mmCIF file of all heavy atoms in Angstrom:
data_model
loop_
_atom_site.group_PDB
_atom_site.id
_atom_site.type_symbol
_atom_site.label_atom_id
_atom_site.label_comp_id
_atom_site.label_asym_id
_atom_site.label_seq_id
_atom_site.Cartn_x
_atom_site.Cartn_y
_atom_site.Cartn_z
ATOM 1 N N ASN A 176 158.666 73.814 87.607
ATOM 2 C CA ASN A 176 159.930 73.732 88.342
ATOM 3 C C ASN A 176 161.127 73.923 87.413
ATOM 4 O O ASN A 176 161.161 73.367 86.312
ATOM 5 C CB ASN A 176 160.064 72.377 89.042
ATOM 6 C CG ASN A 176 158.980 72.145 90.058
ATOM 7 O OD1 ASN A 176 157.818 71.945 89.698
ATOM 8 N ND2 ASN A 176 159.332 72.163 91.322
ATOM 9 N N HIS A 177 162.081 74.700 87.874
ATOM 10 C CA HIS A 177 163.321 74.878 87.119
ATOM 11 C C HIS A 177 164.457 75.021 88.129
ATOM 12 O O HIS A 177 164.330 75.686 89.139
ATOM 13 C CB HIS A 177 163.235 76.088 86.186
ATOM 14 C CG HIS A 177 162.684 77.322 86.821
ATOM 15 N ND1 HIS A 177 161.353 77.480 87.116
ATOM 16 C CD2 HIS A 177 163.291 78.461 87.224
ATOM 17 C CE1 HIS A 177 161.154 78.664 87.672
ATOM 18 N NE2 HIS A 177 162.332 79.282 87.757
ATOM 19 N N GLU A 178 165.562 74.368 87.835
ATOM 20 C CA GLU A 178 166.611 74.182 88.823
ATOM 21 C C GLU A 178 167.991 74.521 88.272
ATOM 22 O O GLU A 178 168.238 74.487 87.075
ATOM 23 C CB GLU A 178 166.634 72.719 89.300
ATOM 24 C CG GLU A 178 165.285 72.162 89.734
ATOM 25 C CD GLU A 178 164.793 72.755 91.034
ATOM 26 O OE1 GLU A 178 165.623 73.190 91.851
ATOM 27 O OE2 GLU A 178 163.567 72.791 91.236
ATOM 28 N N ARG A 179 168.878 74.799 89.188
ATOM 29 C CA ARG A 179 170.319 74.933 88.952
ATOM 30 C C ARG A 179 170.973 74.953 90.322
ATOM 31 O O ARG A 179 170.295 74.916 91.356
ATOM 32 C CB ARG A 179 170.605 76.206 88.151
ATOM 33 C CG ARG A 179 172.002 76.247 87.514
ATOM 34 C CD ARG A 179 172.149 75.366 86.283
ATOM 35 N NE ARG A 179 173.552 75.121 85.966
ATOM 36 C CZ ARG A 179 174.329 75.956 85.278
ATOM 37 N NH1 ARG A 179 173.847 77.096 84.858
ATOM 38 N NH2 ARG A 179 175.580 75.644 85.031
ATOM 39 N N GLU A 180 172.274 75.052 90.375
ATOM 40 C CA GLU A 180 172.974 74.942 91.660
ATOM 41 C C GLU A 180 172.709 76.112 92.596
ATOM 42 O O GLU A 180 173.006 76.021 93.797
ATOM 43 C CB GLU A 180 174.480 74.783 91.440
ATOM 44 C CG GLU A 180 175.175 75.966 90.812
ATOM 45 C CD GLU A 180 175.185 75.935 89.297
ATOM 46 O OE1 GLU A 180 174.436 75.110 88.709
ATOM 47 O OE2 GLU A 180 175.932 76.730 88.699
ATOM 48 N N ARG A 181 172.129 77.200 92.108
ATOM 49 C CA ARG A 181 171.841 78.349 92.971
ATOM 50 C C ARG A 181 170.496 78.220 93.687
ATOM 51 O O ARG A 181 170.100 79.121 94.405
ATOM 52 C CB ARG A 181 171.874 79.639 92.145
ATOM 53 C CG ARG A 181 173.246 79.939 91.566
ATOM 54 C CD ARG A 181 173.223 81.169 90.675
ATOM 55 N NE ARG A 181 174.474 81.306 89.946
ATOM 56 C CZ ARG A 181 174.698 82.196 88.989
ATOM 57 N NH1 ARG A 181 173.740 83.048 88.643
ATOM 58 N NH2 ARG A 181 175.871 82.252 88.373
ATOM 59 N N ARG A 182 169.811 77.133 93.502
ATOM 60 C CA ARG A 182 168.538 76.885 94.173
ATOM 61 C C ARG A 182 168.768 76.791 95.678
ATOM 62 O O ARG A 182 169.794 76.310 96.140
ATOM 63 C CB ARG A 182 167.964 75.564 93.660
ATOM 64 C CG ARG A 182 166.513 75.289 94.037
ATOM 65 C CD ARG A 182 165.598 76.261 93.368
ATOM 66 N NE ARG A 182 164.351 75.640 92.948
ATOM 67 C CZ ARG A 182 163.176 76.254 92.956
ATOM 68 N NH1 ARG A 182 163.091 77.493 93.405
ATOM 69 N NH2 ARG A 182 162.100 75.667 92.507
ATOM 70 N N GLY A 183 167.783 77.235 96.472
ATOM 71 C CA GLY A 183 167.895 77.162 97.925
ATOM 72 C C GLY A 183 167.953 75.733 98.422
ATOM 73 O O GLY A 183 167.374 74.817 97.807
ATOM 74 N N LEU A 184 168.631 75.505 99.527
ATOM 75 C CA LEU A 184 168.824 74.156 100.055
ATOM 76 C C LEU A 184 167.536 73.496 100.532
ATOM 77 O O LEU A 184 167.490 72.281 100.739
ATOM 78 C CB LEU A 184 169.838 74.180 101.209
ATOM 79 C CG LEU A 184 171.281 74.523 100.824
ATOM 80 C CD1 LEU A 184 172.157 74.571 102.067
ATOM 81 C CD2 LEU A 184 171.834 73.525 99.815
ATOM 82 N N GLU A 185 166.462 74.269 100.717
ATOM 83 C CA GLU A 185 165.205 73.682 101.168
ATOM 84 C C GLU A 185 164.458 72.979 100.038
ATOM 85 O O GLU A 185 163.518 72.218 100.288
ATOM 86 C CB GLU A 185 164.306 74.761 101.793
ATOM 87 C CG GLU A 185 163.780 75.804 100.833
ATOM 88 C CD GLU A 185 164.706 77.011 100.700
ATOM 89 O OE1 GLU A 185 165.926 76.851 100.947
ATOM 90 O OE2 GLU A 185 164.219 78.102 100.367
ATOM 91 N N PHE A 186 164.862 73.216 98.792
ATOM 92 C CA PHE A 186 164.197 72.587 97.655
ATOM 93 C C PHE A 186 164.832 71.223 97.374
ATOM 94 O O PHE A 186 166.023 71.009 97.579
ATOM 95 C CB PHE A 186 164.274 73.488 96.428
ATOM 96 C CG PHE A 186 163.483 74.756 96.589
ATOM 97 C CD1 PHE A 186 164.085 75.908 97.099
ATOM 98 C CD2 PHE A 186 162.146 74.809 96.254
ATOM 99 C CE1 PHE A 186 163.365 77.080 97.260
ATOM 100 C CE2 PHE A 186 161.413 75.978 96.411
ATOM 101 C CZ PHE A 186 162.013 77.112 96.923
ATOM 102 N N VAL A 187 164.017 70.288 96.845
ATOM 103 C CA VAL A 187 164.397 68.876 96.850
ATOM 104 C C VAL A 187 165.679 68.577 96.072
ATOM 105 O O VAL A 187 166.510 67.778 96.530
ATOM 106 C CB VAL A 187 163.231 67.995 96.338
ATOM 107 C CG1 VAL A 187 162.926 68.276 94.880
ATOM 108 C CG2 VAL A 187 163.534 66.517 96.566
ATOM 109 N N THR A 188 165.876 69.194 94.906
ATOM 110 C CA THR A 188 167.078 68.872 94.138
ATOM 111 C C THR A 188 168.340 69.265 94.896
ATOM 112 O O THR A 188 169.318 68.520 94.939
ATOM 113 C CB THR A 188 167.045 69.573 92.768
ATOM 114 O OG1 THR A 188 166.761 70.962 92.959
ATOM 115 C CG2 THR A 188 165.991 68.955 91.872
ATOM 116 N N ARG A 189 168.337 70.453 95.497
ATOM 117 C CA ARG A 189 169.498 70.896 96.263
ATOM 118 C C ARG A 189 169.608 70.142 97.579
ATOM 119 O O ARG A 189 170.712 69.908 98.069
ATOM 120 C CB ARG A 189 169.421 72.408 96.498
ATOM 121 C CG ARG A 189 169.628 73.218 95.244
ATOM 122 C CD ARG A 189 171.090 73.175 94.794
ATOM 123 N NE ARG A 189 171.914 73.985 95.659
ATOM 124 C CZ ARG A 189 172.908 73.543 96.436
ATOM 125 N NH1 ARG A 189 173.210 72.252 96.432
ATOM 126 N NH2 ARG A 189 173.595 74.357 97.190
ATOM 127 N N LYS A 190 168.482 69.764 98.152
ATOM 128 C CA LYS A 190 168.524 68.966 99.377
ATOM 129 C C LYS A 190 169.248 67.651 99.123
ATOM 130 O O LYS A 190 170.085 67.213 99.921
ATOM 131 C CB LYS A 190 167.095 68.692 99.865
ATOM 132 C CG LYS A 190 167.021 67.863 101.142
ATOM 133 C CD LYS A 190 165.578 67.662 101.569
ATOM 134 C CE LYS A 190 165.504 66.824 102.851
ATOM 135 N NZ LYS A 190 164.095 66.635 103.297
ATOM 136 N N ILE A 191 168.951 67.030 97.978
ATOM 137 C CA ILE A 191 169.576 65.754 97.645
ATOM 138 C C ILE A 191 171.054 65.933 97.320
ATOM 139 O O ILE A 191 171.913 65.201 97.842
ATOM 140 C CB ILE A 191 168.852 65.092 96.453
ATOM 141 C CG1 ILE A 191 167.423 64.694 96.858
ATOM 142 C CG2 ILE A 191 169.626 63.861 95.964
ATOM 143 C CD1 ILE A 191 166.565 64.240 95.696
ATOM 144 N N THR A 192 171.389 66.907 96.474
ATOM 145 C CA THR A 192 172.790 67.069 96.083
ATOM 146 C C THR A 192 173.651 67.505 97.257
ATOM 147 O O THR A 192 174.798 67.056 97.401
ATOM 148 C CB THR A 192 172.916 68.087 94.933
ATOM 149 O OG1 THR A 192 172.282 69.320 95.309
ATOM 150 C CG2 THR A 192 172.258 67.559 93.673
ATOM 151 N N ASN A 193 173.117 68.386 98.104
ATOM 152 C CA ASN A 193 173.867 68.825 99.283
ATOM 153 C C ASN A 193 174.093 67.660 100.238
ATOM 154 O O ASN A 193 175.199 67.480 100.775
ATOM 155 C CB ASN A 193 173.112 69.941 99.997
ATOM 156 C CG ASN A 193 173.873 70.483 101.191
ATOM 157 O OD1 ASN A 193 174.953 71.028 101.060
ATOM 158 N ND2 ASN A 193 173.299 70.335 102.372
ATOM 159 N N ALA A 194 173.055 66.844 100.424
ATOM 160 C CA ALA A 194 173.189 65.685 101.316
ATOM 161 C C ALA A 194 174.193 64.680 100.760
ATOM 162 O O ALA A 194 174.987 64.095 101.511
ATOM 163 C CB ALA A 194 171.837 65.022 101.520
ATOM 164 N N ALA A 195 174.180 64.482 99.442
ATOM 165 C CA ALA A 195 175.120 63.535 98.831
ATOM 166 C C ALA A 195 176.559 63.964 99.087
ATOM 167 O O ALA A 195 177.432 63.140 99.409
ATOM 168 C CB ALA A 195 174.852 63.421 97.333
ATOM 169 N N ALA A 196 176.818 65.266 98.949
ATOM 170 C CA ALA A 196 178.169 65.771 99.198
ATOM 171 C C ALA A 196 178.553 65.619 100.665
ATOM 172 O O ALA A 196 179.686 65.218 100.997
ATOM 173 C CB ALA A 196 178.258 67.231 98.779
ATOM 174 N N ARG A 197 177.620 65.939 101.558
ATOM 175 C CA ARG A 197 177.902 65.832 102.989
ATOM 176 C C ARG A 197 178.113 64.382 103.414
ATOM 177 O O ARG A 197 178.981 64.089 104.240
ATOM 178 C CB ARG A 197 176.754 66.460 103.792
ATOM 179 C CG ARG A 197 176.689 67.982 103.654
ATOM 180 C CD ARG A 197 175.467 68.546 104.368
ATOM 181 N NE ARG A 197 175.513 68.263 105.802
ATOM 182 C CZ ARG A 197 176.147 69.011 106.694
ATOM 183 N NH1 ARG A 197 176.808 70.088 106.298
ATOM 184 N NH2 ARG A 197 176.134 68.688 107.972
ATOM 185 N N ILE A 198 177.350 63.457 102.841
ATOM 186 C CA ILE A 198 177.536 62.029 103.135
ATOM 187 C C ILE A 198 178.901 61.572 102.632
ATOM 188 O O ILE A 198 179.605 60.824 103.307
ATOM 189 C CB ILE A 198 176.399 61.210 102.497
ATOM 190 C CG1 ILE A 198 175.076 61.489 103.228
ATOM 191 C CG2 ILE A 198 176.712 59.719 102.549
ATOM 192 C CD1 ILE A 198 173.853 60.940 102.514
ATOM 193 N N ARG A 199 179.275 62.046 101.450
ATOM 194 C CA ARG A 199 180.572 61.663 100.866
ATOM 195 C C ARG A 199 181.722 62.063 101.776
ATOM 196 O O ARG A 199 182.716 61.326 101.901
ATOM 197 C CB ARG A 199 180.718 62.338 99.490
ATOM 198 C CG ARG A 199 182.104 62.237 98.871
ATOM 199 C CD ARG A 199 182.468 60.791 98.528
ATOM 200 N NE ARG A 199 183.764 60.705 97.891
ATOM 201 C CZ ARG A 199 184.929 60.722 98.522
ATOM 202 N NH1 ARG A 199 184.961 60.811 99.848
ATOM 203 N NH2 ARG A 199 186.059 60.633 97.841
ATOM 204 N N PHE A 200 181.603 63.181 102.456
ATOM 205 C CA PHE A 200 182.686 63.664 103.315
ATOM 206 C C PHE A 200 182.446 63.357 104.789
ATOM 207 O O PHE A 200 183.101 63.918 105.672
ATOM 208 C CB PHE A 200 182.884 65.166 103.108
ATOM 209 C CG PHE A 200 183.495 65.511 101.780
ATOM 210 C CD1 PHE A 200 182.704 65.956 100.733
ATOM 211 C CD2 PHE A 200 184.851 65.351 101.556
ATOM 212 C CE1 PHE A 200 183.264 66.266 99.497
ATOM 213 C CE2 PHE A 200 185.420 65.653 100.336
ATOM 214 C CZ PHE A 200 184.629 66.109 99.290
ATOM 215 N N GLY A 201 181.501 62.466 105.056
ATOM 216 C CA GLY A 201 181.281 62.010 106.423
ATOM 217 C C GLY A 201 180.637 63.019 107.344
ATOM 218 O O GLY A 201 180.739 62.902 108.571
ATOM 219 N N MET A 202 179.949 63.990 106.795
ATOM 220 C CA MET A 202 179.340 65.042 107.600
ATOM 221 C C MET A 202 177.903 64.721 108.000
ATOM 222 O O MET A 202 177.337 65.363 108.874
ATOM 223 C CB MET A 202 179.399 66.370 106.842
ATOM 224 C CG MET A 202 180.810 66.815 106.520
ATOM 225 S SD MET A 202 180.880 68.292 105.463
ATOM 226 C CE MET A 202 180.253 69.536 106.584
ATOM 227 N N GLN A 203 177.268 63.747 107.322
ATOM 228 C CA GLN A 203 175.968 63.245 107.735
ATOM 229 C C GLN A 203 175.829 61.830 107.207
ATOM 230 O O GLN A 203 176.591 61.395 106.343
ATOM 231 C CB GLN A 203 174.825 64.140 107.247
ATOM 232 C CG GLN A 203 174.533 64.115 105.764
ATOM 233 C CD GLN A 203 173.431 65.101 105.395
ATOM 234 O OE1 GLN A 203 173.592 66.307 105.511
ATOM 235 N NE2 GLN A 203 172.290 64.582 104.920
ATOM 236 N N GLU A 204 174.846 61.092 107.738
ATOM 237 C CA GLU A 204 174.737 59.677 107.415
ATOM 238 C C GLU A 204 173.677 59.374 106.368
ATOM 239 O O GLU A 204 173.804 58.422 105.607
ATOM 240 C CB GLU A 204 174.436 58.874 108.690
ATOM 241 C CG GLU A 204 175.582 58.904 109.707
ATOM 242 C CD GLU A 204 175.272 58.052 110.932
ATOM 243 O OE1 GLU A 204 174.147 57.495 110.993
ATOM 244 O OE2 GLU A 204 176.157 57.941 111.800
ATOM 245 N N ASN A 205 172.592 60.148 106.332
ATOM 246 C CA ASN A 205 171.514 59.848 105.395
ATOM 247 C C ASN A 205 170.737 61.114 105.092
ATOM 248 O O ASN A 205 170.974 62.169 105.673
ATOM 249 C CB ASN A 205 170.590 58.763 105.959
ATOM 250 C CG ASN A 205 170.074 59.113 107.344
ATOM 251 O OD1 ASN A 205 169.502 60.191 107.545
ATOM 252 N ND2 ASN A 205 170.270 58.227 108.313
ATOM 253 N N VAL A 206 169.783 60.979 104.184
ATOM 254 C CA VAL A 206 168.895 62.085 103.848
ATOM 255 C C VAL A 206 167.470 61.550 103.853
ATOM 256 O O VAL A 206 167.199 60.461 103.355
ATOM 257 C CB VAL A 206 169.251 62.698 102.476
ATOM 258 C CG1 VAL A 206 169.211 61.667 101.359
ATOM 259 C CG2 VAL A 206 168.329 63.865 102.156
ATOM 260 N N GLU A 207 166.561 62.300 104.452
ATOM 261 C CA GLU A 207 165.158 61.895 104.514
ATOM 262 C C GLU A 207 164.358 62.653 103.456
ATOM 263 O O GLU A 207 164.439 63.869 103.343
ATOM 264 C CB GLU A 207 164.580 62.183 105.903
ATOM 265 C CG GLU A 207 165.221 61.350 107.005
ATOM 266 C CD GLU A 207 164.571 61.585 108.359
ATOM 267 O OE1 GLU A 207 163.559 62.323 108.396
ATOM 268 O OE2 GLU A 207 165.060 61.041 109.354
ATOM 269 N N LEU A 208 163.585 61.884 102.680
ATOM 270 C CA LEU A 208 162.748 62.462 101.636
ATOM 271 C C LEU A 208 161.311 61.998 101.818
ATOM 272 O O LEU A 208 161.043 61.045 102.558
ATOM 273 C CB LEU A 208 163.253 62.037 100.249
ATOM 274 C CG LEU A 208 164.681 62.441 99.882
ATOM 275 C CD1 LEU A 208 165.093 61.773 98.582
ATOM 276 C CD2 LEU A 208 164.779 63.959 99.735
ATOM 277 N N GLY A 209 160.402 62.664 101.134
ATOM 278 C CA GLY A 209 159.008 62.219 101.129
ATOM 279 C C GLY A 209 158.853 61.104 100.121
ATOM 280 O O GLY A 209 159.697 60.216 100.012
ATOM 281 N N SER A 210 157.794 61.139 99.340
ATOM 282 C CA SER A 210 157.534 60.099 98.356
ATOM 283 C C SER A 210 158.575 60.128 97.240
ATOM 284 O O SER A 210 158.812 61.158 96.617
ATOM 285 C CB SER A 210 156.139 60.276 97.756
ATOM 286 O OG SER A 210 155.950 59.374 96.673
ATOM 287 N N LEU A 211 159.191 58.972 96.986
ATOM 288 C CA LEU A 211 160.156 58.875 95.899
ATOM 289 C C LEU A 211 159.464 58.734 94.550
ATOM 290 O O LEU A 211 160.116 58.784 93.503
ATOM 291 C CB LEU A 211 161.091 57.689 96.122
ATOM 292 C CG LEU A 211 161.979 57.762 97.363
ATOM 293 C CD1 LEU A 211 162.853 56.509 97.450
ATOM 294 C CD2 LEU A 211 162.856 59.005 97.336
ATOM 295 N N ASP A 212 158.145 58.553 94.572
ATOM 296 C CA ASP A 212 157.393 58.378 93.333
ATOM 297 C C ASP A 212 156.766 59.678 92.825
ATOM 298 O O ASP A 212 156.236 59.717 91.720
ATOM 299 C CB ASP A 212 156.282 57.340 93.534
ATOM 300 C CG ASP A 212 156.838 55.965 93.893
ATOM 301 O OD1 ASP A 212 157.884 55.591 93.332
ATOM 302 O OD2 ASP A 212 156.243 55.276 94.741
ATOM 303 N N ALA A 213 156.817 60.741 93.642
ATOM 304 C CA ALA A 213 156.241 62.013 93.218
ATOM 305 C C ALA A 213 156.982 62.541 91.990
ATOM 306 O O ALA A 213 158.210 62.474 91.923
ATOM 307 C CB ALA A 213 156.315 63.025 94.358
ATOM 308 N N LYS A 214 156.227 63.038 91.024
ATOM 309 C CA LYS A 214 156.826 63.501 89.777
ATOM 310 C C LYS A 214 156.556 64.981 89.573
ATOM 311 O O LYS A 214 155.514 65.499 89.946
ATOM 312 C CB LYS A 214 156.280 62.711 88.587
ATOM 313 C CG LYS A 214 156.721 61.245 88.573
ATOM 314 C CD LYS A 214 156.253 60.553 87.312
ATOM 315 C CE LYS A 214 156.764 59.116 87.247
ATOM 316 N NZ LYS A 214 156.332 58.449 85.990
ATOM 317 N N ARG A 215 157.537 65.656 88.977
ATOM 318 C CA ARG A 215 157.422 67.067 88.659
ATOM 319 C C ARG A 215 157.998 67.305 87.265
ATOM 320 O O ARG A 215 158.784 66.514 86.760
ATOM 321 C CB ARG A 215 158.191 67.923 89.685
ATOM 322 C CG ARG A 215 157.638 67.867 91.090
ATOM 323 C CD ARG A 215 156.318 68.600 91.209
ATOM 324 N NE ARG A 215 155.850 68.658 92.580
ATOM 325 C CZ ARG A 215 155.106 67.727 93.164
ATOM 326 N NH1 ARG A 215 154.784 66.630 92.490
ATOM 327 N NH2 ARG A 215 154.709 67.873 94.411
ATOM 328 N N ASP A 216 157.609 68.445 86.691
ATOM 329 C CA ASP A 216 158.180 68.889 85.427
ATOM 330 C C ASP A 216 159.351 69.805 85.764
ATOM 331 O O ASP A 216 159.163 70.873 86.329
ATOM 332 C CB ASP A 216 157.110 69.642 84.628
ATOM 333 C CG ASP A 216 157.584 70.060 83.248
ATOM 334 O OD1 ASP A 216 158.677 70.658 83.149
ATOM 335 O OD2 ASP A 216 156.860 69.807 82.282
ATOM 336 N N TRP A 217 160.565 69.357 85.443
ATOM 337 C CA TRP A 217 161.763 70.124 85.780
ATOM 338 C C TRP A 217 162.453 70.641 84.522
ATOM 339 O O TRP A 217 162.702 69.878 83.584
ATOM 340 C CB TRP A 217 162.769 69.261 86.551
ATOM 341 C CG TRP A 217 162.667 69.366 88.037
ATOM 342 C CD1 TRP A 217 162.977 70.450 88.804
ATOM 343 C CD2 TRP A 217 162.219 68.355 88.945
ATOM 344 N NE1 TRP A 217 162.758 70.168 90.139
ATOM 345 C CE2 TRP A 217 162.286 68.895 90.258
ATOM 346 C CE3 TRP A 217 161.756 67.044 88.785
ATOM 347 C CZ2 TRP A 217 161.931 68.171 91.381
ATOM 348 C CZ3 TRP A 217 161.394 66.325 89.905
ATOM 349 C CH2 TRP A 217 161.480 66.895 91.191
ATOM 350 N N GLY A 218 162.765 71.922 84.532
ATOM 351 C CA GLY A 218 163.528 72.514 83.441
ATOM 352 C C GLY A 218 164.811 73.146 83.959
ATOM 353 O O GLY A 218 165.169 72.996 85.134
#
Side-chain angles (χ1 to χ4, degrees):
N176 298 71
H177 47 286
E178 310 289 334
R179 196 76 197 277
E180 65 271 13
R181 296 176 190 172
R182 192 67 143 145
L184 292 178
E185 68 270 25
F186 293 91
V187 65
T188 51
R189 290 288 286 117
K190 180 179 180 179
I191 294 171
T192 54
N193 183 63
R197 290 175 62 85
I198 290 169
R199 170 66 178 81
F200 289 100
M202 300 174 68
Q203 71 183 66
E204 294 182 357
N205 53 54
V206 57
E207 295 184 5
L208 300 172
S210 172
L211 297 180
D212 298 322
K214 292 185 176 181
R215 295 289 186 272
D216 184 310
W217 266 291

